[in-house]
Amino acid sequence: MVAANYPFLDVMWSIFIFFAWVIWIWFLITILADVFRRHDIGGGTKALWTIFLIFLPFLGALIYLISQGSAMAQRNVEQAQQAQAQADDYIRSVASQNDPSEQIRKGKELLDSGAITQDEYAALKARALAAS
């Protein structure tokens, strides 16, 4: 009975409004996240931007995008590059621990420094080669 009184275009309009609302909230969260991630402004400025975005959301969002849009994009790129560099460092550190050539090289350094004997180096080298 209710569906008969709710035409297809009204359903489509409701869906459009719902997704526009979700996008708007995501947009404001993105701006607020950028405001709070910034290190170049103080807490007072962050509070002013937050108040501005809460009480005048359309005007605040437009002004923030106009004034900080390119810097916002640059901060996102820098954050992604930093996260990638950390992931690469972690992968290198984990991969080098299991790399036989790396273990043999470290063993050779220990042998050359006198920390281990020739027999210990040979055992380490045999273990590294057996693990590969």
Side-chain angles (χ1 to χ4, degrees), residues 32 35-36 41-55:
L32 285 171
V35 167
F36 285 106
I41 61 175
T45 308
K46 291 177 183 182
L48 289 175
W49 272 116
T50 303
I51 291 169
F52 194 38
L53 285 167
I54 289 172
F55 290 110

Side-chain angles (χ1 to χ4, degrees), residues 20-21 24 27-28 31 52-66:
W21 182 251
W24 175 250
F27 184 64
L28 287 178
I31 291 175
F52 194 38
L53 285 167
I54 289 172
F55 290 110
L56 296 170
F58 291 112
L59 185 62
L62 286 175
I63 290 173
Y64 190 81
L65 284 181
I66 290 168

Side-chain angles (χ1 to χ4, degrees), residues 82-117:
Q82 186 179 31
Q84 184 65 44
Q86 288 175 349
D88 290 345
D89 289 343
Y90 174 74
I91 290 169
R92 268 190 229 98
S93 70
V94 171
S96 68
Q97 291 173 358
N98 296 327
D99 185 21
S101 62
E102 184 69 21
Q103 290 177 0
I104 293 170
R105 185 187 63 77
K106 286 180 182 178
K108 182 66 173 157
E109 288 175 4
L110 290 172
L111 176 67
D112 292 342
S113 69
I116 61 174
T117 65

Side-chain angles (χ1 to χ4, degrees), residues 27 30-31 34 38 49 60-77:
F27 184 64
T30 302
I31 291 175
D34 184 64
R38 292 177 65 175
W49 272 116
L62 286 175
I63 290 173
Y64 190 81
L65 284 181
I66 290 168
S67 66
Q68 300 296 321
S70 61
M72 187 175 172
Q74 183 62 31
R75 283 188 291 274
N76 283 338
V77 167

